[in-house]
Amino acid sequence: MLRILKRTIAAVLAVAMQLVAALVGLASCGSEPEFRVRGEVDGLGTQNLRVTLYRGEAVQQQSAQAIDGKFSFEAKAEEPVAGEIYTNAGVLMARFIADRGDNLNLKFSATDPTLFEAEGNGATEELAEFVADNSEAIVANDTKALNAAVEKFVGKHAKSLASTLIISAYYTPEGNEKRLGEMLDRLDKRAKPMWLVEPLLQPVIEGEAADTAVVEPTRLLGAAGKVATLNPAGTKMTLIAFTDAASRGTDSVAALLEKLSAERVDATLRLAEVSFDPDTATWQRSLRDKPAPGRVRSYWAIGGAATPGIERLAVGRVPYFVLVDSAGSVMLRTPSATATARKTGVKL
């Protein structure tokens, strides 16, 4: 009887120990980080990295110490998050996407933005492939080539979160708002959570509004130093070239305005150049160094793209061209001198 009792007690204790071990295991799993990131940064040395994680309106900041360029960190994620890794000085070096359970291995460079390798997460691996395939365009900041590459990538990866991140990082929406909207429409619902897409919708909304905008008489500073009014009334079309000191002498602006000034001698096209220079001294100096063709009227916008009467055109970059009719209705909005020349009937 005593032996049976001992065996029973031993069995109960064994079961109890198993239960305790299971509970400890569950507790341990619950406290484990949801994903891990390990990496190596060429040319970094030893310093603290800054990691920013985005999920909806929530933004999480944490640090990760890199020793001889090698680092690791852990974080929780109930759903996919977008991450950015910065140097201690705030220089962005890499982006990634992570989900719970991921074990990411990254390799990138502190000085070369085109070096990026990734393992452990499909979306981040696709992002790394995009960076490698388009390294020349990224280094040259060739917006035309990058936009084409992004559109091609999205067409092939409509179900990947990498598409939305790549649009955000590498696509220039100014003048391409309609195409941006079309790309977002093509994405699968799982590939475009609202927290990731919402920042991209603003240029689409602004672009749609600008396409139907009406330019009314706008008071600006004229080349003579007096207030002048830019008014599209009285002429069939008015071309407004938005520039600054750095862009007004480039081929995309100078060649177009010279061609139009020389070849469109009829009174159906008015030419205007509106400067977004930070001050009048810079603008006036630019006019002396690079005089505008004779038929081009020069203006300076005190508030840049936010100047009343201009802000509705959503000009997000220079050079930029807007063609309006006599009623001020927008006929064309584009950063392309070639597209503007085609629309106005000259050949560059």
Side-chain angles (χ1 to χ4, degrees):
M1 188 68 165
L2 184 58
R3 290 179 180 177
I4 295 174
L5 182 59
K6 287 182 178 180
R7 284 199 298 268
T8 301
I9 293 172
V12 170
L13 287 173
V15 171
M17 291 297 292
Q18 291 175 354
L19 287 172
V20 170
L23 289 172
V24 170
L26 287 172
S28 176
C29 289
S31 63
E32 282 292 307
E34 299 291 350
F35 69 86
R36 294 181 175 87
V37 178
R38 296 180 178 85
E40 182 177 349
V41 190
D42 282 359
L44 182 68
T46 298
Q47 66 171 267
N48 283 332
L49 303 180
R50 290 162 45 189
V51 181
T52 304
L53 304 174
Y54 300 92
R55 174 63 182 92
E57 295 182 357
V59 179
Q60 178 185 339
Q61 301 274 359
Q62 65 183 72
S63 62
Q65 186 177 27
I67 300 175
D68 292 332
K70 295 182 179 180
F71 69 92
S72 66
F73 63 88
E74 303 167 340
K76 290 184 178 294
E78 296 300 325
E79 297 180 79
V81 299
E84 295 174 342
I85 302 175
Y86 297 82
T87 65
N88 197 36
V91 178
L92 176 63
M93 294 185 293
R95 297 178 175 89
F96 65 90
I97 292 172
D99 201 354
R100 59 185 305 168
D102 283 347
N103 284 286
L104 279 174
N105 288 291
L106 308 177
K107 183 176 181 180
F108 48 93
S109 170
T111 56
D112 182 358
T114 66
L115 175 60
F116 185 44
E117 300 174 7
E119 292 180 352
N121 172 290
T124 307
E125 290 170 6
E126 290 167 350
L127 170 61
E129 290 174 8
F130 177 88
V131 171
D133 291 343
N134 298 281
S135 58
E136 291 184 6
I138 292 172
V139 170
N141 194 27
D142 186 339
T143 57
K144 184 177 180 180
L146 281 174
N147 279 5
V150 171
E151 291 174 13
K152 181 180 179 181
F153 180 91
V154 172
K156 294 181 178 180
H157 300 85
K159 294 183 179 181
S160 175
L161 275 170
S163 288
T164 313
L165 193 60
I166 286 171
I167 293 172
S168 176
Y170 297 106
Y171 196 77
T172 300
E174 290 84 8
N176 305 289
E177 296 90 350
K178 185 177 180 180
R179 297 179 73 89
L180 172 58
E182 291 171 350
M183 275 197 297
L184 294 176
D185 286 342
R186 285 200 301 269
L187 289 175
D188 186 83
K189 185 177 180 180
R190 292 168 295 179
K192 54 178 180 181
M194 185 51 64
W195 61 270
L196 198 52
V197 170
E198 191 170 9
L200 302 174
L201 293 177
Q202 191 62 29
V204 176
I205 295 170
E206 291 177 351
E208 290 175 350
D211 285 339
T212 58
V214 175
V215 177
E216 298 176 349
T218 303
R219 291 168 64 82
L220 302 165
L221 187 67
K226 298 180 180 180
V227 174
T229 301
L230 173 61
N231 189 352
T235 307
K236 184 178 180 180
M237 295 183 295
T238 298
L239 175 65
I240 310 171
F242 294 95
T243 67
D244 62 6
S247 63
R248 68 188 313 269
T250 59
D251 290 343
S252 60
V253 176
L256 174 64
L257 294 182
E258 287 171 6
K259 271 274 188 180
L260 289 171
S261 185
E263 297 182 15
R264 288 295 305 269
V265 294
D266 57 279
T268 61
L269 178 65
R270 179 181 295 154
L271 301 175
E273 183 181 7
V274 176
S275 170
F276 284 173
D277 284 316
D279 52 63
T280 56
T282 303
W283 171 53
Q284 292 287 357
R285 185 166 55 251
S286 176
L287 286 179
R288 291 193 297 269
D289 294 341
K290 305 162 188 173
R295 291 184 55 220
V296 180
R297 298 180 184 179
S298 297
Y299 303 88
W300 179 68
I302 186 171
T307 300
I310 290 175
E311 87 289 351
R312 67 193 66 181
L313 296 175
V315 179
R317 59 185 291 193
V318 290
Y320 200 83
F321 307 96
V322 177
L323 185 68
V324 299
D325 63 17
S326 59
S329 299
V330 172
M331 303 171 65
L332 177 72
R333 295 173 55 254
T334 179
S336 170
T338 302
T340 305
R342 189 182 309 117
K343 186 73 172 180
T344 50
V346 297
K347 186 176 181 180
L348 289 179

